[in-house]
Amino acid sequence: MGMAVLGWLTERPVATWGEQWMRSGFLHATFSRAIAGGQHLMTEESDASGLVSTTYRDAQGRVCVAGTATLTASADGEPLVDVRDVVPRSPLLAPRATDLDGATMPPLTFTFDAARDLAFLDGQPDAPEWQRRGWAHPAWLGTASNAVIMGNIDFDGRPTSSGRWLQVSADIALVAPVVDGEVVELRSRIGRITRRGRHDQHHVAHLECTYRVGARVVARLRNSFVFATDEPSPAPPHP
């Protein structure tokens, strides 16, 4: 599932606000349960005073993913910050709070290829809006933040009892369109560590990301993910 599911959550805001949201909108997504291919999902939608929401539930009625979009960031949410630090490539970090808290990641640079990077939207109602403009989709930006996590944290070397990587939420603030052929630099750091779950057993890292094209900021994102769990359980833990 991961960040690709963000492709399902932009239909409503694009239909509601169009290009205005695509240029500078805000999206909050919460991931609650894993989604597998072929799974039957039910959709709920709602509008309320400047806010549109989309929720996907499984056949048992359990929430799998929920998204909320606004034209500006929620007033009661934690502001997304600019990351300016640059550090050289270093050994992989262990999935431990002592290693991750405050860690700055090496910058990641990549080129946006509209034909390639928007193909995953094929069949989605708002796909033509992104594809005809050649603008990067929020899910593509989110996937880059996951690449930072995979490239800098040694999940393969973790102890068996530490749990596993689970997506918790994503907050994305669009600042300006990323257009076809532009080179994007992503700078990121772990802003804080928190705990989630009934018994605070899940350790959550909040990765702050800033995307730039040249000197201008084009997006900010917070990728919150479980990196360890105090005790293993027979079923995958969900925050």
Side-chain angles (χ1 to χ4, degrees):
M1 183 176 66
M3 292 294 180
V5 173
L6 296 181
W8 304 352
L9 300 177
T10 57
E11 175 188 353
R12 296 295 307 292
V14 170
T16 302
W17 297 298
E19 186 171 307
Q20 183 180 7
W21 188 86
M22 297 169 70
R23 283 184 176 276
S24 57
F26 179 83
L27 177 66
H28 170 74
T30 301
F31 308 99
S32 301
R33 303 190 71 82
I35 299 173
Q39 189 172 351
H40 177 72
L41 299 173
M42 299 175 288
T43 308
E44 297 175 358
E45 300 176 341
S46 65
D47 295 356
S49 61
L51 180 150
V52 296
S53 300
T54 305
T55 300
Y56 287 89
R57 297 180 181 270
D58 64 16
Q60 288 73 47
R62 300 172 298 189
V63 174
C64 296
V65 60
T68 301
T70 57
L71 283 175
T72 57
S74 173
D76 59 358
E78 182 181 353
L80 302 182
V81 301
D82 283 341
V83 180
R84 303 179 185 278
D85 301 332
V86 176
V87 298
R89 174 67 62 183
S90 58
L92 291 178
L93 299 166
R96 296 189 299 257
T98 52
D99 286 46
L100 296 182
D101 195 9
T104 298
M105 308 301 181
L108 178 66
T109 302
F110 45 93
T111 301
F112 175 58
D113 181 323
R116 177 194 65 198
D117 298 326
L118 295 176
F120 78 98
L121 287 173
D122 288 346
Q124 293 293 108
D126 59 324
E129 300 300 319
W130 300 96
Q131 292 170 342
R132 71 182 177 85
R133 291 177 174 85
W135 289 1
H137 189 276
W140 180 76
L141 299 173
T143 299
S145 72
N146 274 352
V148 169
I149 295 169
M150 288 187 289
N152 290 283
I153 303 176
D154 185 14
F155 286 102
D156 289 337
R158 67 178 184 255
T160 303
S161 63
S162 68
R164 64 176 188 169
W165 178 16
L166 291 170
Q167 210 81 59
V168 174
S169 64
D171 295 274
I172 303 175
L174 303 174
V175 179
V178 177
V179 303
D180 188 29
E182 287 190 323
V183 177
V184 181
E185 183 191 56
L186 168 54
R187 298 186 187 183
S188 57
R189 62 176 171 80
I190 302 294
R192 59 193 174 96
I193 302 292
T194 60
R195 286 178 174 255
R196 295 278 295 268
R198 294 184 184 90
H199 306 290
D200 286 340
Q201 72 272 34
H202 303 315
H203 300 252
V204 179
H206 303 267
L207 181 71
E208 304 284 353
C209 302
T210 303
Y211 302 78
R212 290 181 174 85
V213 173
R216 62 188 177 93
V217 173
V218 293
R220 301 179 183 91
L221 182 148
R222 179 179 299 117
N223 183 337
S224 300
F225 60 99
V226 170
F227 63 88
T229 299
D230 286 339
E231 295 182 3
S233 60
H238 292 284

